[in-house]
Amino acid sequence: MLSIQLRLRNGLPVMIMGETGCGKSSLIKQLTAVLRTPLRTLNIHGGMEADDVVVWMKERIEEAEFLSQEERVVIFLDEVNTCNCMGLFKEIICDRSVQGRFLPPSMKIIAACNPYRLKSKQALEQEAMAGLAFDTFQG
């Protein structure tokens, strides 16, 4: 928690990676409770479009602009690697902007993702038999 708090205080990007169910979201909830900081969470999923993220972030930006200099709000982008908006998330997390609009200093960003795992040939075959995989060109 201390490492995350120091990164937030110094304006550094915070990205947490861990397996499903390991407690990434719980860690952030506990951290914001200890710091007495409001938490706004966007639970990202595969059906989400970039426009959905932009609209949600613009609402949070408007909320953060009304905070005093001493107040903070933590924005938690959960499961950022599950939708096809990685360029947008890079802009938010690393560049601290949304469509060129800079984030207010009172807004602190934390993102979480699951590690990428290569699947074995056997796992791919099992998914294909279960109807969970698309046919791909093996040229």
Side-chain angles (χ1 to χ4, degrees):
M1 274 197 209
L2 181 59
S3 176
I4 295 170
Q5 181 185 9
L6 289 172
R7 292 184 73 83
L8 290 174
R9 180 181 294 164
N10 291 299
L12 297 172
V14 178
M15 175 69 79
I16 300 171
M17 182 182 285
E19 296 291 344
T20 301
C22 74
K24 300 178 296 287
S25 300
S26 296
L27 173 69
I28 300 307
K29 287 177 187 174
Q30 292 300 316
L31 175 66
T32 55
V34 167
L35 297 175
R36 295 187 179 106
T37 305
L39 173 65
R40 305 293 181 260
T41 302
L42 178 61
N43 293 308
I44 300 157
H45 53 82
M48 200 169 253
E49 300 288 332
D51 290 341
D52 302 325
V53 176
V54 169
V55 167
W56 189 87
M57 281 299 297
K58 285 184 177 181
E59 291 171 359
R60 303 296 80 77
I61 290 169
E62 289 176 15
E63 177 184 339
E65 286 175 340
F66 288 105
L67 297 175
S68 70
Q69 278 191 320
E70 298 83 35
E71 293 178 300
R72 302 281 182 260
V73 61
V74 172
I75 304 298
F76 182 45
L77 304 173
D78 199 6
E79 307 280 342
V80 294
N81 60 337
T82 59
C83 85
N84 201 13
C85 307
M86 293 311 292
L88 175 61
F89 291 126
K90 178 261 182 198
E91 180 187 6
I92 294 169
I93 299 163
C94 298
D95 302 337
R96 292 195 45 80
S97 66
V98 176
Q99 294 182 327
R101 180 180 178 187
F102 288 107
L103 302 179
S106 59
M107 182 179 276
K108 304 300 179 184
I109 307 292
I110 300 175
C113 66
N114 295 326
Y116 179 75
R117 298 271 183 237
L118 289 176
K119 294 184 179 179
S120 68
K121 186 175 181 179
Q122 180 183 10
L124 291 172
E125 289 171 358
Q126 288 175 342
E127 285 182 1
M129 290 180 66
L132 298 175
F134 293 104
D135 289 332
T136 58
F137 176 71
Q138 301 289 326

